[in-house]
Amino acid sequence: MIQKHDPLLRSVSFSTVSVNFLTRGSFYLFFIFWGGMGALQSSPGQPEYVDLAEKTGFSFEQIGVLHKRFKQLSHNEDFLQRDHFNKIPDLALNPIRSQIIEAFFDRRNFRQNGEGTVHDIGFEEFLLVMSHFRPPSLHITEDQRESVRRDKLRFLFNMHDTDNDGTITLEEYRHVVEELLSLSEALEKDTAKSIADAAMLEVASISMGHMEPDEFYEGITFEHFLKLLNGFEIESRMNIRFLNMDTTNLCK
């Protein structure tokens, strides 16, 4: 039973936990997959980059840089598998490591309206996933900006919706909260469940309005998700830049 008057739970909200989830994911994607690539030399202008540039919005130079990173992570193979990500030492420290890795093998993130997961990915799929973290152009219309925002929120929704059924259930959300709080020794598993329950109670009240005591809330749809994060400035949090620093040893 969720106690609404519990002072620990009153400050908990679904959006707060989601932002924490996103921030952790964005930071490690930045630190592991993008940071340091500016120090490498790329070979822009290759013919195959033209199609990739149109699909992702990356420049030829950025594609060349990310191609070198892909080759480093895959040890010069043509495909990346989950084991390649599991061998990155710094990624192992992230409590949502599994969600970050799975995002790269989720067909929903390939911008092709696909479903399910794949065993390995080529460079194009790698680039398509990374493109969700490309900052929006400065000179775009409001409609275009809203499209970018919706696309980024869809990516975040997919990371929550681990069973790929279009709904974030209470069990899925409990798992997310437990992983985010796993590094805190002061919080027990039951507390994490209570936090997740309280956040989902908030979601149900916003999404469904009044609910009867015996009424069951099936979970968060994407439309509910958009409503919950309305006004949240996702562009500044889900945004990765190239840096001029050498961290190539991270993938060794």
Side-chain angles (χ1 to χ4, degrees):
M1 178 72 68
I2 301 170
Q3 301 296 326
K4 294 183 182 181
H5 62 272
D6 190 325
L8 173 64
L9 304 182
R10 275 207 303 264
S11 61
V12 174
S13 69
F14 178 85
S15 56
T16 298
V17 177
S18 295
V19 169
N20 191 6
F21 182 87
L22 173 61
T23 301
R24 285 181 178 271
S26 299
F27 173 76
Y28 274 83
L29 283 170
F30 159 76
F31 188 61
I32 294 167
F33 301 118
W34 207 303
M37 290 297 91
L40 297 177
Q41 296 298 315
S42 62
S43 301
Q46 296 186 28
E48 61 268 28
Y49 287 179
V50 175
D51 182 54
L52 293 176
E54 292 179 353
K55 289 181 178 179
T56 65
F58 286 125
S59 68
F60 288 173
E61 182 179 6
Q62 290 170 335
I63 293 172
V65 161
L66 285 170
H67 198 187
K68 287 182 178 293
R69 187 56 156 175
F70 177 87
K71 287 296 186 180
Q72 287 178 331
L73 292 171
S74 68
H75 303 291
N76 287 320
E77 297 294 332
D78 292 332
F79 294 94
L80 272 172
Q81 298 180 347
R82 289 171 178 80
D83 283 346
H84 292 118
F85 290 90
N86 285 323
K87 292 177 182 177
I88 301 174
D90 292 271
L91 186 56
L93 302 176
N94 193 298
I96 60 168
R97 175 179 62 90
S98 61
Q99 285 93 337
I100 293 174
I101 293 175
E102 285 305 313
F104 282 87
F105 299 88
D106 188 336
R107 293 181 188 272
R108 295 174 296 177
N109 297 329
F110 297 163
R111 301 183 183 278
Q112 299 172 351
N113 297 320
E115 296 181 355
T117 60
V118 296
H119 177 69
D120 51 36
I121 57 171
F123 177 59
E124 180 173 336
E125 289 77 24
F126 176 80
L127 200 64
L128 287 167
V129 174
M130 291 299 297
S131 69
H132 289 87
F133 289 81
R134 189 178 66 85
S137 302
L138 295 177
H139 306 291
I140 58 175
T141 66
E142 285 302 315
D143 287 344
Q144 290 172 327
R145 185 172 296 278
E146 179 58 30
S147 178
V148 170
R149 170 184 168 77
R150 188 181 181 91
D151 183 58
K152 290 177 181 291
L153 287 174
R154 171 64 76 175
F155 184 91
L156 177 58
F157 179 86
N158 291 346
M159 290 183 74
H160 281 83
D161 176 25
T162 54
D163 66 359
N164 207 331
D165 70 347
T167 302
I168 302 172
T169 64
L170 175 58
E171 286 304 314
E172 286 175 322
Y173 192 63
R174 278 177 176 171
H175 182 64
V176 168
V177 174
E178 288 171 9
E179 289 194 334
L180 283 173
L181 299 179
S182 63
L183 298 181
S184 175
E185 298 179 356
L187 292 177
E188 298 179 353
K189 191 171 183 178
D190 287 344
T191 302
K193 286 185 177 180
S194 296
I195 290 174
D197 290 351
M200 287 293 278
L201 181 63
E202 173 217 16
V203 170
S205 65
I206 294 174
S207 303
M208 306 294 293
H210 176 73
M211 294 181 66
E212 298 299 327
D214 60 344
E215 190 174 355
F216 177 71
Y217 181 57
E218 295 183 359
I220 305 167
T221 65
F222 182 59
E223 294 305 317
H224 290 170
F225 192 74
L226 291 176
K227 185 176 181 180
L228 290 164
L229 293 180
N230 182 39
F232 171 54
E233 207 286 295
I234 192 172
E235 289 83 359
S236 62
R237 294 179 181 272
M238 198 166 171
N239 178 0
I240 310 178
R241 309 182 304 275
F242 284 96
L243 292 183
N244 291 318
M245 54 188 289
D246 188 2
T247 58
T248 56
N249 61 322
L250 284 175
C251 64
K252 293 180 180 178

